[in-house]
Amino acid sequence: MDESGKIKAAIYIRVSTDKQEKYGYSLNEQLEVLSSWATELGYEVVEVYKDAISGKSSDRPSFERMINDAKDGKFNRILCISDDRFMRNAKELLKYIDLLEKYGVFVEFYTLRWLDIYKPEGRLLLTNKSSFSEYFLKELSLKVSYGIRQKKAKGEWFGKPPYGYKVIDVDGKTYLTYNDEEQKVINMIKEMLTKGYTVNEIVLELNRRGIKTRQGKLWNAANLRRLISNMRKSYDEYLYVGDGKI
């Protein structure tokens, strides 16, 4: 607690992907909900930690910084939207909750605000929920992987299209077709390479002409080399041109 008697709290927010940011609880939405909740609880928010990375990853800079700050006694509570935003793996989730408790820091989940996870029955329910979530995520991952293999076996494309292509839907099936504007850029790069231009010289020329990457950014040596590497790959088996596949 601070001098005013308020409990000091940290907020942890996380999204895994751009898609989750768009269709799930965005970072801003999580922060808004948790800030309001902290006010209801009478907590003083002293720090906000945010990661945009998978909960399965061990490389979460803000999460690790939060754990270190907890050890240093900077706050007494951590507020998070849900247990799977905090940690996807059930074993790791319980490990960190126990570790933080040793530091005198208690974790509270907004979606489980009716549950005291520090009582035996609450801990049991949290463990079961987290374990089931982990199981279903693994099942979903296996099904998605199988679906991708099946689509590719049928000559269908899955995922983001490589530069120079776009995805089209033909009778419920997804294929690649040419992206005319990006193909012009690829042909220009091929021509410059043939003439002996270096990667850095091509980067300068693309940026001089105002040609941006697909993300609307300037070209650099790293992203151009990735493109050149992809240009050497063949996507003919997924290509749909005119009235049918080539």
Side-chain angles (χ1 to χ4, degrees), residues 25-154:
Y25 263 124
S26 70
L27 290 173
N28 287 337
E29 287 170 332
Q30 291 179 51
L31 180 57
E32 183 178 346
V33 169
L34 293 172
S35 296
S36 177
W37 190 33
T39 300
E40 289 178 21
L41 294 170
Y43 295 169
E44 177 192 358
V45 176
V46 296
E47 189 67 73
V48 175
Y49 302 87
K50 59 183 178 181
D51 283 312
I53 195 168
S54 170
K56 295 183 290 185
S57 174
S58 59
D59 183 20
R60 288 195 280 164
S62 290
F63 184 87
E64 293 303 321
R65 183 165 61 87
M66 179 179 69
I67 298 300
N68 289 330
D69 287 348
K71 185 177 181 180
D72 291 339
K74 292 187 177 181
F75 43 80
N76 314 105
R77 297 288 189 279
I78 294 174
L79 304 183
C80 187
I81 281 289
S82 62
D83 55 291
D84 63 348
R85 294 300 86 211
F86 193 79
M87 187 68 66
R88 281 277 177 83
N89 180 281
K91 183 178 179 181
E92 289 293 301
L93 172 68
L94 298 176
K95 182 186 85 171
Y96 277 104
I97 287 176
D98 289 340
L99 176 65
L100 288 163
E101 187 177 7
K102 290 179 181 178
Y103 299 154
V105 178
F106 299 90
V107 183
E108 299 183 35
F109 301 115
Y110 180 76
T111 56
L112 296 175
R113 54 194 181 279
W114 49 272
L115 183 67
D116 185 346
I117 63 173
Y118 293 94
K119 289 183 177 179
E121 60 271 23
R123 183 59 61 92
L124 178 62
L125 287 171
L126 175 65
T127 303
N128 288 339
K129 178 186 177 300
S130 183
S131 297
F132 276 121
S133 296
E134 185 180 358
Y135 168 77
F136 284 121
L137 281 170
K138 287 180 179 178
E139 280 289 292
L140 178 61
S141 178
L142 288 172
K143 289 177 181 178
V144 169
S145 296
Y146 177 75
I148 293 172
R149 291 197 301 271
Q150 287 293 96
K151 287 176 77 71
K152 288 189 173 183
K154 296 175 183 177

Side-chain angles (χ1 to χ4, degrees), residues 97-233:
I97 287 176
D98 289 340
L99 176 65
L100 288 163
E101 187 177 7
K102 290 179 181 178
Y103 299 154
V105 178
F106 299 90
V107 183
E108 299 183 35
F109 301 115
Y110 180 76
T111 56
L112 296 175
R113 54 194 181 279
W114 49 272
L115 183 67
D116 185 346
I117 63 173
Y118 293 94
K119 289 183 177 179
E121 60 271 23
R123 183 59 61 92
L124 178 62
L125 287 171
L126 175 65
T127 303
N128 288 339
K129 178 186 177 300
S130 183
S131 297
F132 276 121
S133 296
E134 185 180 358
Y135 168 77
F136 284 121
L137 281 170
K138 287 180 179 178
E139 280 289 292
L140 178 61
S141 178
L142 288 172
K143 289 177 181 178
V144 169
S145 296
Y146 177 75
I148 293 172
R149 291 197 301 271
Q150 287 293 96
K151 287 176 77 71
K152 288 189 173 183
K154 296 175 183 177
E156 294 183 57
W157 180 260
F158 184 89
K160 292 182 179 179
Y163 191 89
Y165 300 87
K166 58 186 177 182
V167 174
I168 59 170
D169 186 288
V170 181
D171 297 328
K173 297 180 180 180
T174 51
Y175 301 104
L176 294 178
T177 192
Y178 294 121
N179 181 315
D180 293 336
E181 291 302 313
E182 291 180 352
Q183 285 293 328
K184 289 178 184 177
V185 177
I186 286 176
N187 289 333
M188 185 175 73
I189 293 170
K190 286 180 178 178
E191 184 178 348
M192 286 191 282
L193 287 171
T194 301
K195 290 180 178 180
Y197 280 65
T198 66
V199 167
N200 287 332
E201 287 171 337
I202 296 174
V203 166
L204 289 173
E205 185 61 21
L206 289 171
N207 291 333
R208 185 187 70 80
R209 296 191 187 192
I211 298 172
K212 300 290 180 66
T213 67
R214 183 179 283 176
Q215 291 73 32
K217 298 180 180 179
L218 294 175
W219 290 92
N220 56 49
N223 57 33
L224 181 59
R225 285 195 180 97
R226 283 196 297 271
L227 172 57
I228 292 171
S229 176
N230 284 334
M231 284 163 49
R232 298 191 179 104
K233 298 176 183 178

